[in-house]
Amino acid sequence: MDLRTFRRDRITAPIFNWASRIMPPISETEREAIDAGTVWWDGELFTGNPDWNALLTMPPARLSAEEQAFMDNEVAELCGLVDDWTLNWRDRDLAKSVWDHMRAKKFFGMIIPKKYGGLGFSNTAHSEVVRTVSSASVVAGVTVMVPNSLGPGELLMHFGTDEQRDYWLPRLADGREIPCFGLTSPDAGSDAAAMQDTGVVEYGTWKGRKVLGVRLNFHKRYITLGPVATVMGLAFKMRDPGNHLGRGEELGITVALLPMDTPGVSHGERHIPLFTFFQNGPLYGKDVFVPLDHILGGEAQIGQGWTMLMTALAAGRSISLPSQSAASAAMSARASGAYARVRTQFGVPIGLFEGVQEPLAELAGNAYLIDAARRLTVAALDEGHRPSVLSAIMKYHATERMRRSYTHAMDIHGGKGIIEGPRNYLAAGYRSVPIGITVEGANILTRNLMIFGQGAVRSHPYMLKEMLALSDEDTTRGLDAFDRAFWGHIGHALKTAGRAFLRGWSGGRIGPAPRNAALPHHFKRLSRHAAAFALTADLALLTLGGALKRKELISARLGDVLAELYLLGAVLKRFEDEGRQAEDRPIVDYLMQQGESRIGAAFKGVLDNLPARWAAWLARAIAFPFGVPEPVPSDRQIGKLAEILMKPSAQRERLAPDLYLGEGHAEHPIKDLEAAFALVVEAAPIEKKLREARIDDLQEARDKGVISEGEFARLTEVRTAVEKVVAVDAFPMDEISPTAGQHRRTKRTGTRARRQRQPAQ
Ligand SMILES: Cc1cc2nc3c(=O)[nH]c(=O)nc-3n(C[C@H](O)[C@H](O)[C@H](O)COP(=O)(O)OP(=O)(O)OC[C@H]3O[C@@H](n4cnc5c(N)ncnc54)[C@H](O)[C@@H]3O)c2cc1C
């Protein structure tokens, strides 16, 4: 018996038998989800020793000249056509001119190759378009993003038959067809695979002929573009009780391409998603019969629906919501900084109060970080990667940071952000936040189940190999494969422990950083956390095994560490890619501290709660001998970041670039804000004279010679511009409510009473 055979039969075999007993079987849908997409940088992070040089040398996201021209012309024109207030509060739909422009300029065919009449854009261009359009209007952004994301277009390109591609793609590209994708039903939301929508294989009549096909019955809801769509990608469970196809009864989740005018299909009702009036509604199908050639990908793809969806999700989820979140974070940061500069209370701009600077700093940080991660992810997609775990990280963290950004922006704007009307540039985005949180994998589920859960299996260097070996029906082959994977894993774990020890005991001073990096200490600290992550992840997997699925909070926190490592790596790459802008250092330092603090809190949460206490003790002793670090940005750092948002500069433009700022509209609240901001900053030296003379009244200041006639005119212009920004809308009672008449008497008395109670006002 050679050494390897001895090891396999005497040492590995009992472990194999034990693990086979405790390991839950991998379900078909889990296996398909695992198989979907690719492993990229997430795999590096799981090694505990990521190759930073590989990250930095990866080409940054870039637009071609043609794509840039599209941004400058077609996208700019589209933004100028959208009137967000009118569409939400009066028309409850995009204007016809906007729909026409989207169709004519092929906004619905951005990802469709040119040979089918589409724009054939890169993932970077797709993301940039969604980002800029979303900055003009969430509704327009969603309308553009959906046909280019998870839906018939994407699925046809990857899985369609030649005939299906030749027929549908040109029609989708030029907007003759509007697609939607129907997966969710009332009984199946997050657990979409539990859907009850069925398709039964049988003979039926199609265009006067008897053919083999599928009879569909379904009820879908929440379907974006559903009310106006002309074709639907429909997910259903296919059954063949008569065994017409010779493949047994249960065929699995399948996707069909269903024209909306097929008899039995009904649609047209609308949901109202938080008063954000993109087209969204339910779809119904009663005994709808279509031939088998309506199955997306033909008969070969029957039962492959879940794999198809997961694969498409790995790309779409990396682009749509991260791009929209990037727009929202940048716009919230830009607008809040400007508003905090022009709005004064207690005689000073509110942005000078430390309490306001704290949310401003986070706004600046979020804008930098989300865009850094978005650009890195789309650059990876352009290189051909489809990283499903990173797409889940992007979806969750971009939308969560967007949520925080909007909340901070609202706080800073006070009543100005709350009162709805054409002058409010925040409320529509704020209202729409829960939509981004819920769709494409609801966030709680994504954080608790997907990120680490999928990552541990998919991105870990040995885990999947071990699981596949354990579930191999041929146990001899399984044991052999398990033996290799298991001992590889042990070797890897020992190396990881060594790295975690060196990096932990040196407080992050010893550890790899890329050659010639401008900020090697930051890379070293991330290297330290990466090693600690790999060690802790292995200990959690070893001690919890399949039970980790139920220990959602441990899984969530490990996912938080993994995510921060990805996001902070993207920040450091952005800093390098943008030519190491010295003035951006405070943002990078702030984000590193904030991120490390989150990493620290997540590690603490895992180690405090890991049921196997010895494992937690071991991880602490190796990786965190002096406690888990949780650095906090200083008040000085916070002040510096707030300042960046409160003065016009190239840096501010870099932080919040390519947003729609009201061009093409005669009146636009963001245009007014930007104008007032520029005027206030320019007139600051004149304002200072007033402050020093302790005079607030302009005329008095002019009469006393504190300011000149020209300065008086300038300040009058500034104050008018600021008043316009600070103003909010008010509407006649009858316009707001048809029952307004009943309040007429009450209103007069009420007003009098209020005045009496508050004489000082
Ligand atoms: C505006 C809008 C547009 C949409 N567009 C489309 C579309 O075009 N096509 C389409 O098919 N669908 C669409 N959806 C559906 C969307 O994908 C689902 O809403 C989503 O999958 C969540 O399902 P649910 O709303 O039923 O929530 P549920 O699944 O009931 O979830 C409720 C809560 O429970 C949490 N949860 C569930 N399971 C777990 C778990 N195991 N662990 C931890 N937490 C868990 C979720 O995270 C969530 O917070 C849309 C939804 C909305 C609101």
Side-chain angles (χ1 to χ4, degrees), residues 200-217:
V200 176
V201 181
E202 62 183 42
Y203 281 94
T205 308
W206 180 255
K207 296 187 177 163
R209 284 192 311 119
K210 191 179 170 203
V211 294
L212 188 61
V214 58
R215 189 161 305 280
L216 300 157
N217 281 284

Side-chain angles (χ1 to χ4, degrees), residues 198-405:
T198 57
V200 176
V201 181
E202 62 183 42
Y203 281 94
T205 308
W206 180 255
K207 296 187 177 163
R209 284 192 311 119
K210 191 179 170 203
V211 294
L212 188 61
V214 58
R215 189 161 305 280
L216 300 157
N217 281 284
F218 58 89
H219 173 190
K220 300 293 186 185
R221 65 173 179 179
Y222 307 151
I223 307 306
T224 301
L225 297 185
V228 296
T230 59
V231 58
M232 150 191 6
L234 173 75
F236 60 95
K237 279 194 177 148
M238 193 156 164
R239 292 179 50 238
D240 185 7
N243 202 17
H244 296 290
L245 300 173
R247 291 164 57 175
E249 180 164 347
E250 301 299 335
L251 299 177
I253 296 175
T254 302
V255 177
L257 277 173
L258 197 55
M260 288 296 197
D261 55 7
T262 313
V265 175
S266 56
H267 70 129
E269 287 178 356
R270 285 183 73 180
H271 298 310
I272 302 177
L274 289 172
F275 260 67
T276 307
F277 281 97
F278 55 87
Q279 294 286 343
N280 183 281
L283 308 170
Y284 309 95
K286 177 103 184 71
D287 291 332
V288 181
F289 181 79
V290 286
L292 288 181
D293 64 5
H294 281 52
I295 305 291
L296 206 148
E299 282 189 44
Q301 294 292 345
I302 289 175
Q304 295 302 308
W306 199 248
T307 310
M308 286 157 71
L309 299 178
M310 291 300 114
T311 305
L313 197 61
R317 192 168 52 178
S318 304
I319 299 178
S320 303
L321 290 161
S323 307
Q324 195 193 27
S325 304
S328 304
M331 192 58 111
S332 303
R334 190 175 180 116
S336 300
Y339 189 78
R341 182 70 184 85
V342 306
R343 175 67 167 164
T344 53
Q345 287 293 302
F346 305 98
V348 286
I350 57 169
L352 296 185
F353 298 119
E354 283 192 349
V356 175
Q357 287 179 351
E358 191 176 33
L360 275 177
E362 193 175 329
L363 279 160
N366 275 353
Y368 191 94
L369 178 141
I370 298 178
D371 222 37
R374 176 189 69 93
R375 290 184 208 176
L376 173 61
T377 311
V378 293
L381 294 177
D382 281 340
E383 297 268 295
H385 302 288
R386 290 288 176 274
S388 46
V389 174
L390 297 180
S391 80
I393 289 178
M394 284 305 292
K395 193 274 152 169
Y396 176 84
H397 285 272
T399 53
E400 287 295 337
R401 278 166 209 253
M402 162 180 76
R403 163 146 72 182
R404 283 185 69 85
S405 287

Side-chain angles (χ1 to χ4, degrees), residues 131-195:
R131 183 179 170 283
T132 301
V133 174
S134 300
S135 73
S137 154
V138 173
V139 174
V142 170
T143 306
V144 167
M145 85 173 54
V146 167
N148 290 290
S149 180
L150 178 64
E154 171 87 4
L155 293 173
L156 274 164
M157 286 187 311
H158 290 294
F159 305 103
T161 62
D162 288 345
E163 295 77 36
Q164 288 171 340
R165 286 196 194 116
D166 291 345
Y167 179 79
W168 287 108
L169 289 177
R171 302 169 71 85
L172 288 167
D174 63 16
R176 264 175 293 166
E177 305 283 352
I178 298 289
C180 69
F181 188 72
L183 173 65
T184 306
S185 32
D187 39 25
S190 299
D191 186 11
M195 74 181 80

